[in-house]
Amino acid sequence: MLVMGEVHTGLLQSSGEIPESACRDVLHLMSGETVRLSRRPMIYAVSPDLLTGVDCRLPSASRSRIRGVGTVVSHSSITGGRVVQGSSYARVERAETDRRLAWSHYLARPGVIEVLGKAKSSDLGDGFIGDPQPNGLDLGSISARFMDVVQSSPLLDRRAPFKVARTKVRWVAQPGDPAIRFTLNADQTRTIRIAHSGDFTPAVVDLCEDLALHDWLLTTLLLIVERARIGGRAGPEVVAKLAPAVDHLLHLWMPAARVDEALVPYWHGLEDRMRFTAQWERLVRRIRDQLTLNDAAMLRSARHP
Amino acid sequence: MTSVDATFGEVAAERRTASAPLSHVSIELGHLYMEDFEAGPERLRQQFRRVAPWAATVRTSWQDRVPGRRARVSTCFLIDDYFSRFSTPAELIPMVLEAAAECDLTIDYLARESACAVSDGVELAKLVEDRLVDDPSPDTNGSRPPVKETGWLCNGSRSPQVGSVQAMGKAQRWAPPVQNAKRGHSVFVDVELWDEHGGKRTWSCPFLAAVWQLLRLGLLRREGRLPVRPVPRDDAFPEDWESLPAIVQLNPAAAPFSAYTTLSVLSPRFLPVELAVRTILSQVAVDGDVLEQVAARSGGEGIKLEDELVDRISYVFT
Amino acid sequence: MLIFAISGKGGTGRSVTSTNIVYRHALQGNDVCYLDFDFGSPTAGAIFSVGAVARGTRRHGLHEYLRGDCAEPHQVDVWSESDREGLRTRPPEAGRLVLLPGSEGGGELSGGNEDMVRRCVQLFSRLNEEFDLCMVDVSAGRSYTAELVLNATARLPSIPFRWLVFHRWTRQHIIAADGLVRGDDGLLDAGARLGHDPEALRDRIRFVRTAVLEPDAAELVGLRDEQRAWLFACDQELRELAGRHKVGRTAMLGKIPLDPILQWREQIISDEDVLASKIANAETASAFDELAKKIVDDTAWEGL
């Protein structure tokens, strides 16, 4: 019927970026399962997929009581040794009977939540993207815990270079003519709706995680620039405030690097509308200009003390 | 300029899963505890006499399922060397083999129970424990981590804590435990998985039995590889259990150790243990790739396996 | 950084002082949050003049969160939700100022609940990711709440934390503050049992004197000579008492002068209250400002 997911993104709680070996150790969430890791175009490490059982009300725009039983798939990942994500999703499918079956039935279908009774795919999707009801399916809390498990690893020193809130991206994917809509809400939440031709594949999850990563990078860079109060305080102070961005963020921007080729057009489509990269580049230029100005000022004062 | 179709792959980022050779059915001919041993060889012969007809029946029924081909049936025998140590392989194994031969049974594989806990430095029990996905009670929406009683696993919701967590607040009253998938009334099962004394963990008998079933079903992997492989027997059996491989292949012509399905022929005194085993197994999430592998292999032979792995396990209590 | 505000006895002005410190810390450009762990009477909303949560929040307060009845506690953005005009405009240099209120009708939480400790650890850990400073109002005396946060911080060895023990400048309060820290089952004793290193824990505790009336204060100008002499003698006696109880100057992080505005209405003292309406004393505001700097100034926290 449809797939629902939620990705949380935040700054890894360590003073610097962590090396490959540490990524492996931190993400080793299940014995006997290796952490998958790719090195190009930057280090990306992901924990094995883990399941969480649920039996609860599913979201519904019409506030209908819809019960779903099954499992949610989740993993944690670290990009560039610096950014953490906790990601969860579940495929929602119609059950063959209206009563709950033995748990082994659901475990034989990992990552599927079966709907007991009647439900419309659009009603579920709208409900999930819209205002979530209390006590309904809470993918956000599951993803948050998959971030916590990384952030609280004893291998991290917890001395992050700056403080920043996590962002939350809720997404829904349904079959249809290819389309994507990204919505920025007032708080730290964003929503994505994707229509995909053909069957759902985990590549859609990768796409949403990549979008969430870049949205977090942009959100965080905007925050750092805002906190620096360019023009509102002395140059060296501004530069000190901007420094963490240069040290920890600027090199991480690499849109669609991990996205399946077939889904790259979704990224391009969003770029055309939202101009993610253009905004990022403008901010980066602004930061670099401040650094240059400050260097020039320092040079001048050194020559004419 | 023409466009070039370029691909890039990274080996480390890809996941590989080894496949296990599989029989059609793995028959457990017996499970030997110290008390059985102490009762002498006659007890063993009794057990094998009871098992023999059932083993023959299963062999025939699988032969009927694969007409024109040879049914792959392997037999195994488990010796407890975990909860109590007795005798030596050199003394015990020949006695077991002799008793089986008297009843026209061949034991293809012999396994040590402690291997289900740790084998060649691989903690099989931990591997399985990490794959437990708790059966959620109604209204489990993911907002809280699964309710856990450390070291225990149940098939429903336990009785709530009686009393109040907040001063001057309403007290929580007693309520009965409830089975999640109940039909009318509950059969609530709460299984102890392990206990710890002085920092040393002892896995429970049902938990090791669950690991044993998963091994026989060929569903366990460690970093994509098979965690245990049967080792052909030496001419002589060793004097201590540690020197005996986890699984010894006694019959060189045996069908593969692991199988699509298992049958265990057991004394009814094991009934509660096996209920606990099923409670555990119905909460183990087997690697999806492994499940698909097995489904593809059996499908290729025209055999439709049950989706749920607990339904691939059968018993005769006699 | 986590800061725990506690007092030996009630009525010290612990809540009003710690809210003002947090407010000043936000004005100094830091992202801060205030956690109302005074579970018996969750009224921090009133001090921040957020009427909607003056007696705690109706949805997802800290009580519900710690009991496990909600996934995330309600956060109130003081800059946008306060009823006070003066607090509703966030100065450009200020950081975030967020209140996590208790639940309306919430009461003290019972001890010895492992799930609650885990949730508390999760809360501190997540907030530390997001805020420069989290001020936790732990209420007065030996309590399950103090035990809960001692337990939680023992499990978060890499998150820095400090304790402020508030007391008034009276015999009873000095004795009580010392007892709370060093007495049997006090912070050091209980902390050690829960896994803290007592030496390290001691170095993370400082005292704050509240409602202090200096014998040479302007308010005392009209006093008779006999009264003034008596006051000096009292003050001297208290100094000696404080010294004996190790609550003296060296262990003190700061003091807040007696200010009528704090006696009659527990509120945030803004610069406007000092400069425009002049209802508050400039000394009070600068004492808060000073403390807001000192709580994160490592030189003020060097080993005693």
Side-chain angles (χ1 to χ4, degrees):
Chain A
M1 291 170 78
L2 79 164
V3 187
M4 301 171 174
E6 184 157 339
V7 191
H8 289 198
T9 310
L11 182 70
L12 187 74
Q13 294 300 293
S14 78
S15 45
E17 69 178 50
I18 62 166
E20 195 182 303
S21 59
C23 288
R24 276 190 202 282
D25 294 342
V26 168
L27 294 171
H28 188 75
L29 305 186
M30 198 199 302
S31 52
E33 280 292 334
T34 32
V35 170
R36 279 180 301 139
L37 192 139
S38 57
R39 298 185 181 84
R40 304 285 177 81
M42 67 178 112
I43 292 184
Y44 168 82
V46 60
S47 77
D49 282 344
L50 271 76
L51 300 178
T52 305
V54 293
D55 174 350
C56 60
R57 259 182 95 165
L58 295 183
S60 154
S62 64
R63 292 293 196 234
S64 312
R65 297 194 75 87
I66 304 168
R67 181 177 173 194
V69 185
T71 55
V72 173
V73 186
S74 311
H75 56 234
S76 318
S77 65
I78 302 175
T79 304
R82 189 71 271 187
V83 186
V84 193
Q85 291 189 304
S87 171
S88 306
Y89 71 96
R91 298 200 303 277
V92 180
E93 288 172 8
R94 223 172 297 259
E96 281 173 18
T97 72
D98 284 356
R99 71 185 169 78
R100 181 177 159 161
L101 301 173
W103 186 233
S104 49
H105 169 83
Y106 303 100
L107 281 187
R109 294 152 187 79
V112 172
I113 295 179
E114 294 191 344
V115 181
L116 311 188
K118 280 202 257 321
K120 278 219 275 301
S121 166
S122 57
D123 185 42
L124 289 166
D126 293 348
F128 185 68
I129 288 292
D131 187 22
Q133 57 227 22
N135 305 324
L137 177 66
D138 187 357
L139 295 182
S141 288
I142 300 175
S143 294
R145 288 198 297 275
F146 273 83
M147 279 199 71
D148 289 344
V149 71
V150 172
Q151 301 288 44
S152 61
S153 164
L155 299 168
L156 304 179
D157 63 16
R158 289 231 192 213
R159 297 207 310 271
F162 53 90
K163 303 280 176 174
V164 62
R166 302 172 180 181
T167 56
K168 304 166 183 181
V169 174
R170 272 208 303 279
W171 58 268
V172 162
Q174 279 162 302
D177 291 334
I180 184 163
R181 193 163 82 215
F182 188 102
T183 311
L184 213 60
N185 297 338
D187 49 5
Q188 293 298 105
T189 66
R190 293 94 172 79
T191 58
I192 302 175
R193 298 195 79 126
I194 288 179
H196 54 88
S197 53
D199 286 341
F200 171 83
T201 68
V204 174
V205 185
D206 291 340
L207 171 69
C208 293
E209 289 172 0
D210 197 50
L211 285 167
L213 171 75
H214 287 88
D215 168 68
W216 179 86
L217 283 171
L218 189 51
T219 306
T220 306
L221 196 61
L222 277 163
L223 184 76
I224 289 177
V225 168
E226 184 194 307
R227 280 179 187 160
R229 293 199 294 126
I230 296 173
R233 52 157 65 119
E237 282 178 49
V238 171
V239 169
K241 291 274 177 191
L242 294 174
V246 181
D247 292 342
H248 302 280
L249 299 181
L250 297 193
H251 60 289
L252 296 177
W253 189 264
M254 224 164 272
R258 285 196 320 103
V259 174
D260 189 281
E261 204 174 330
L263 297 177
V264 169
Y266 287 87
W267 239 115
H268 291 324
L270 270 185
E271 274 283 22
D272 287 346
R273 288 239 153 246
M274 306 194 37
R275 320 279 283 141
F276 269 139
T277 300
Q279 190 176 7
W280 175 266
E281 280 168 357
R282 215 165 48 238
L283 281 168
V284 172
R285 264 201 306 280
R286 205 161 165 219
I287 291 171
R288 298 240 154 94
D289 287 349
Q290 285 298 315
L291 299 184
T292 317
L293 272 175
N294 191 57
D295 284 352
M298 275 172 50
L299 215 59
R300 255 200 319 279
S301 63
R303 276 190 200 137
H304 312 283
Chain B
M1 205 168 115
T2 53
S3 74
V4 175
D5 183 17
T7 52
F8 171 69
E10 268 193 85
V11 175
E14 287 159 15
R15 201 163 172 277
R16 288 204 185 144
T17 310
S19 60
L22 291 165
S23 290
H24 290 128
V25 60
S26 151
I27 304 175
E28 180 178 2
L29 299 174
H31 189 154
L32 189 77
Y33 286 95
M34 179 148 71
E35 61 258 38
D36 305 300
F37 172 71
E38 283 169 346
E42 184 46 36
R43 167 84 73 95
L44 260 176
R45 279 195 285 272
Q46 260 175 28
Q47 155 83 4
F48 286 134
R49 273 198 293 274
R50 275 203 305 269
V51 169
W54 296 105
T57 307
V58 170
R59 196 180 287 273
T60 324
S61 81
W62 266 100
Q63 193 57 66
D64 293 345
R65 278 183 79 172
V66 288
R69 282 177 289 153
R70 191 177 64 89
R72 300 191 301 277
V73 178
S74 68
T75 61
C76 56
F77 190 86
L78 187 67
I79 294 176
D80 170 34
D81 66 331
Y82 185 74
F83 297 102
S84 53
R85 284 273 166 106
F86 52 93
S87 187
T88 66
E91 183 190 4
L92 189 73
I93 299 173
M95 182 182 103
V96 173
L97 295 180
E98 200 175 308
E102 281 176 33
C103 304
D104 291 328
L105 288 172
T106 308
I107 298 177
D108 295 331
Y109 300 94
L110 185 127
R112 295 194 290 126
E113 185 147 11
S114 63
C116 296
V118 183
S119 155
D120 294 338
V122 181
E123 288 189 273
L124 289 181
K126 184 82 183 78
L127 220 63
V128 173
E129 192 196 21
D130 278 4
R131 293 200 155 272
L132 288 174
V133 177
D134 296 40
D135 184 343
S137 303
D139 293 323
T140 300
N141 66 348
S143 64
R144 279 184 292 270
V147 190
K148 278 201 194 293
E149 200 58 60
T150 310
W152 289 78
L153 186 73
C154 71
N155 67 347
S157 354
R158 299 180 177 90
S159 284
Q161 294 273 341
V162 176
S164 163
V165 289
Q166 190 170 303
M168 299 169 75
K170 289 184 203 72
Q172 172 77 49
R173 297 177 55 186
W174 185 85
V178 184
Q179 180 190 1
N180 286 338
K182 66 171 178 169
R183 289 245 184 140
H185 296 86
S186 288
V187 180
F188 179 76
V189 182
D190 207 342
V191 182
E192 187 167 20
L193 305 180
W194 47 262
D195 63 5
E196 255 170 13
H197 294 288
K200 188 182 178 295
R201 177 179 290 201
T202 306
W203 299 95
S204 68
C205 167
F207 196 77
L208 293 182
V211 176
W212 173 234
Q213 288 285 2
L214 288 166
L215 270 178
R216 288 168 66 202
L217 290 169
L219 297 176
L220 290 182
R221 296 291 182 278
R222 180 173 175 269
E223 288 167 8
R225 291 188 292 273
L226 294 168
V228 186
R229 282 174 188 276
V231 176
R233 63 168 283 186
D234 280 337
D235 294 335
F237 294 105
E239 289 297 329
D240 65 299
W241 291 104
E242 295 297 337
S243 311
L244 190 74
I247 302 172
V248 188
Q249 181 169 355
L250 301 172
N251 171 13
F257 168 74
S258 301
Y260 296 146
T261 62
T262 70
L263 170 75
S264 300
V265 186
L266 301 167
S267 150
R269 70 189 158 107
F270 288 110
L271 205 61
V273 174
E274 295 305 322
L275 171 62
V277 171
R278 291 180 70 87
T279 304
I280 296 167
L281 285 178
S282 59
Q283 300 183 56
V284 173
V286 172
D287 187 309
D289 292 349
V290 177
L291 284 179
E292 276 170 32
Q293 246 176 29
V294 175
R297 287 272 297 285
S298 55
E301 293 192 59
I303 295 166
K304 172 86 182 84
L305 291 180
E306 301 286 349
D307 281 346
E308 296 163 40
L309 71 99
V310 281
D311 294 336
R312 300 181 192 173
I313 297 167
S314 54
Y315 301 94
V316 172
F317 290 102
T318 172
Chain C
M1 164 95 64
L2 302 166
I3 307 278
F4 299 102
I6 196 168
S7 54
K9 298 184 70 63
T12 52
R14 179 197 65 249
S15 302
V16 73
T17 310
S18 53
T19 42
N20 270 288
I21 294 173
V22 138
Y23 165 74
R24 292 282 153 181
H25 203 67
L27 289 183
Q28 290 161 8
N30 305 290
D31 286 351
V32 299
C33 66
Y34 187 90
L35 283 71
D36 192 356
F37 268 40
D38 187 358
F39 292 125
S41 66
T43 53
I47 308 180
F48 286 107
S49 307
V50 184
V53 298
R55 290 187 293 138
T57 175
R58 286 174 183 277
R59 251 194 90 203
H60 301 176
L62 286 172
H63 291 79
E64 279 159 87
Y65 174 79
L66 289 170
R67 288 194 318 243
D69 293 336
C70 69
E72 269 185 272
H74 181 187
Q75 294 196 4
V76 176
D77 174 23
V78 176
W79 296 130
S80 64
E81 293 180 51
S82 176
D83 304 323
R84 264 182 76 187
E85 196 82 40
L87 292 186
R88 252 203 332 271
T89 34
R90 174 177 172 177
E93 71 282 1
R96 295 172 65 203
L97 177 57
V98 169
L99 163 68
L100 278 75
S103 304
E104 190 172 316
E108 283 174 65
L109 298 172
S110 68
N113 185 326
E114 179 57 28
D115 288 334
M116 208 178 279
V117 177
R118 269 199 290 265
R119 287 190 276 268
C120 188
V121 166
Q122 172 180 283
L123 178 69
F124 289 166
S125 178
R126 287 183 184 171
L127 291 173
N128 182 62
E129 226 176 290
E130 192 174 340
F131 293 97
D132 296 300
L133 185 121
C134 307
M135 176 74 80
V136 185
D137 183 353
V138 187
S139 79
R142 291 169 177 78
S143 63
Y144 285 126
T145 314
E147 185 184 311
L148 172 71
V149 301
L150 279 170
N151 207 333
T153 47
R155 299 181 195 191
L156 293 164
S158 26
I159 297 186
F161 69 87
R162 284 165 181 173
W163 284 79
L164 296 179
V165 180
F166 292 82
H167 67 90
R168 296 185 59 158
W169 195 229
T170 69
R171 291 181 62 85
Q172 252 201 97
H173 276 262
I174 290 170
I175 293 168
D178 176 39
L180 174 65
V181 175
R182 269 176 288 266
D184 289 344
D185 299 336
L187 292 180
L188 294 178
D189 201 5
R193 277 201 300 272
L194 292 166
H196 288 280
D197 170 3
E199 301 267 303
L201 185 57
R202 198 194 55 213
D203 287 342
R204 292 172 171 213
I205 300 175
R206 290 290 185 278
F207 296 89
V208 176
R209 293 179 199 169
T210 56
V212 177
L213 189 59
E214 302 287 357
D216 52 356
E219 289 91 334
L220 303 181
V221 165
L223 292 188
R224 287 190 298 278
D225 285 350
E226 292 85 346
Q227 288 176 314
R228 200 170 298 132
W230 182 81
L231 267 179
F232 267 107
C234 264
D235 191 51
Q236 195 51 43
E237 211 177 288
L238 288 174
R239 278 172 207 270
E240 280 162 23
L241 182 74
R244 276 203 305 280
H245 282 276
K246 304 199 174 72
V247 183
R249 290 185 59 86
T250 43
M252 180 188 77
L253 193 70
K255 49 184 171 181
I256 308 298
L258 183 79
D259 192 314
I261 192 173
L262 297 179
Q263 299 301 310
W264 289 328
R265 189 169 72 193
E266 294 170 310
Q267 68 160 53
I268 297 287
I269 296 185
S270 68
D271 288 345
E272 194 199 48
D273 297 328
V274 176
L275 303 172
S277 64
K278 296 194 176 155
I279 54 170
N281 294 327
E283 293 78 15
T284 315
S286 70
F288 288 143
D289 205 51
E290 187 74 8
L291 263 176
K293 287 178 185 143
K294 270 192 175 168
I295 48 172
V296 293
D297 177 3
D298 292 341
T299 59
W301 290 85
E302 276 161 9
L304 296 177

